[in-house]
Amino acid sequence: MEEQSITVTIADRPYKLTVKREDEEIFREATKYINERLKGYAANFAYKDKQDLLAMVALQYTTNSLRNERVLSFRDKELVEKLENLNTMLEANV
Protein backbone atom coordinates (compact mmCIF):
# COMPACT_ATOMS: atom_id res chain seq x y z
CA MET A 1 0.00 0.00 0.00
CA GLU A 2 2.20 2.77 -1.32
CA GLU A 3 1.19 6.38 -0.73
CA GLN A 4 2.04 9.48 -2.69
CA SER A 5 1.51 13.20 -2.43
CA ILE A 6 -0.70 14.88 -4.98
CA THR A 7 -2.12 18.37 -5.35
CA VAL A 8 -5.68 18.89 -6.48
CA THR A 9 -7.35 22.21 -7.16
CA ILE A 10 -10.93 22.79 -6.08
CA ALA A 11 -12.59 26.17 -6.63
CA ASP A 12 -9.22 27.66 -7.68
CA ARG A 13 -7.61 26.60 -4.41
CA PRO A 14 -4.86 23.96 -4.29
CA TYR A 15 -4.98 21.14 -1.74
CA LYS A 16 -2.05 18.85 -1.03
CA LEU A 17 -3.12 15.31 -0.23
CA THR A 18 -1.44 12.03 0.57
CA VAL A 19 -3.31 9.20 -1.08
CA LYS A 20 -2.79 5.55 -1.89
CA ARG A 21 -1.23 5.23 -5.32
CA GLU A 22 -4.19 3.18 -6.56
CA ASP A 23 -6.62 5.93 -5.40
CA GLU A 24 -4.97 8.82 -7.24
CA GLU A 25 -7.19 8.48 -10.31
CA ILE A 26 -10.41 8.50 -8.28
CA PHE A 27 -9.30 11.62 -6.38
CA ARG A 28 -8.49 13.41 -9.62
CA GLU A 29 -11.79 12.32 -11.15
CA ALA A 30 -13.67 13.52 -8.07
CA THR A 31 -11.86 16.85 -8.23
CA LYS A 32 -12.79 17.27 -11.88
CA TYR A 33 -16.41 16.39 -11.16
CA ILE A 34 -16.63 18.86 -8.24
CA ASN A 35 -15.18 21.66 -10.36
CA GLU A 36 -17.63 20.89 -13.17
CA ARG A 37 -20.52 21.07 -10.71
CA LEU A 38 -19.19 24.35 -9.34
CA LYS A 39 -19.15 25.80 -12.86
CA GLY A 40 -22.68 24.55 -13.45
CA TYR A 41 -24.01 26.16 -10.28
CA ALA A 42 -22.09 29.37 -11.03
CA ALA A 43 -23.68 29.57 -14.48
CA ASN A 44 -27.22 28.94 -13.27
CA PHE A 45 -27.54 30.51 -9.82
CA ALA A 46 -26.76 33.78 -8.09
CA TYR A 47 -24.07 33.50 -5.45
CA LYS A 48 -21.95 35.77 -3.27
CA ASP A 49 -18.76 33.72 -3.30
CA LYS A 50 -17.48 30.24 -4.05
CA GLN A 51 -18.40 29.11 -0.53
CA ASP A 52 -22.06 29.23 -1.62
CA LEU A 53 -21.26 27.06 -4.63
CA LEU A 54 -19.24 24.60 -2.54
CA ALA A 55 -22.12 24.32 -0.08
CA MET A 56 -24.53 23.46 -2.89
CA VAL A 57 -22.17 20.85 -4.33
CA ALA A 58 -21.68 19.34 -0.86
CA LEU A 59 -25.46 19.25 -0.35
CA GLN A 60 -26.01 17.61 -3.72
CA TYR A 61 -23.41 14.89 -3.12
CA THR A 62 -24.47 14.24 0.45
CA THR A 63 -28.10 13.93 -0.59
CA ASN A 64 -27.17 11.51 -3.38
CA SER A 65 -24.96 9.51 -1.02
CA LEU A 66 -27.70 9.20 1.61
CA ARG A 67 -30.23 8.21 -1.04
CA ASN A 68 -27.90 5.52 -2.34
CA GLU A 69 -27.21 4.23 1.18
CA ARG A 70 -30.96 3.89 1.81
CA VAL A 71 -31.48 2.04 -1.46
CA LEU A 72 -28.61 -0.34 -0.69
CA SER A 73 -29.83 -0.88 2.86
CA PHE A 74 -33.31 -1.70 1.61
CA ARG A 75 -31.91 -4.09 -1.00
CA ASP A 76 -29.69 -5.77 1.59
CA LYS A 77 -32.65 -6.19 3.93
CA GLU A 78 -34.77 -7.54 1.08
CA LEU A 79 -32.01 -9.95 0.07
CA VAL A 80 -31.59 -11.25 3.63
CA GLU A 81 -35.35 -11.85 3.90
CA LYS A 82 -35.39 -13.74 0.59
CA LEU A 83 -32.39 -15.84 1.61
CA GLU A 84 -34.00 -16.64 4.96
CA ASN A 85 -37.21 -17.69 3.19
CA LEU A 86 -35.24 -19.80 0.76
CA ASN A 87 -33.31 -21.40 3.62
CA THR A 88 -36.57 -22.17 5.44
CA MET A 89 -37.98 -23.79 2.29
CA LEU A 90 -34.82 -25.86 1.82
CA GLU A 91 -34.81 -26.99 5.46
CA ALA A 92 -38.46 -28.01 5.18
CA ASN A 93 -37.70 -30.22 2.17
CA VAL A 94 -34.69 -31.98 3.68
Side-chain angles (χ1 to χ4, degrees):
M1 181 167 68
E2 192 175 330
E3 293 186 338
Q4 67 181 30
S5 293
I6 64 170
T7 301
V8 296
T9 303
I10 299 172
D12 300 324
R13 201 178 265 188
Y15 295 92
K16 292 185 182 204
L17 306 171
T18 302
V19 300
K20 295 177 191 172
R21 188 170 296 280
E22 63 267 17
D23 290 341
E24 178 184 3
E25 183 180 344
I26 196 81
F27 273 88
R28 295 201 185 278
E29 187 177 339
T31 300
K32 180 180 175 187
Y33 202 70
I34 290 168
N35 285 319
E36 287 173 357
R37 290 288 173 220
L38 288 170
K39 287 178 188 175
Y41 279 117
N44 293 309
F45 299 101
Y47 63 96
K48 290 182 182 178
D49 58 27
K50 290 187 180 182
Q51 179 68 36
D52 295 334
L53 300 175
L54 287 167
M56 292 308 297
V57 171
L59 180 61
Q60 177 187 11
Y61 286 115
T62 303
T63 303
N64 288 341
S65 177
L66 290 171
R67 185 179 301 117
N68 289 337
E69 284 178 22
R70 287 181 182 171
V71 167
L72 289 174
S73 176
F74 177 76
R75 286 183 185 164
D76 287 349
K77 182 180 175 184
E78 219 176 48
L79 180 60
V80 167
E81 287 175 6
K82 287 180 180 181
L83 288 172
E84 287 172 350
N85 288 341
L86 189 60
N87 192 39
T88 301
M89 288 171 36
L90 288 171
E91 288 176 350
N93 289 324
V94 172

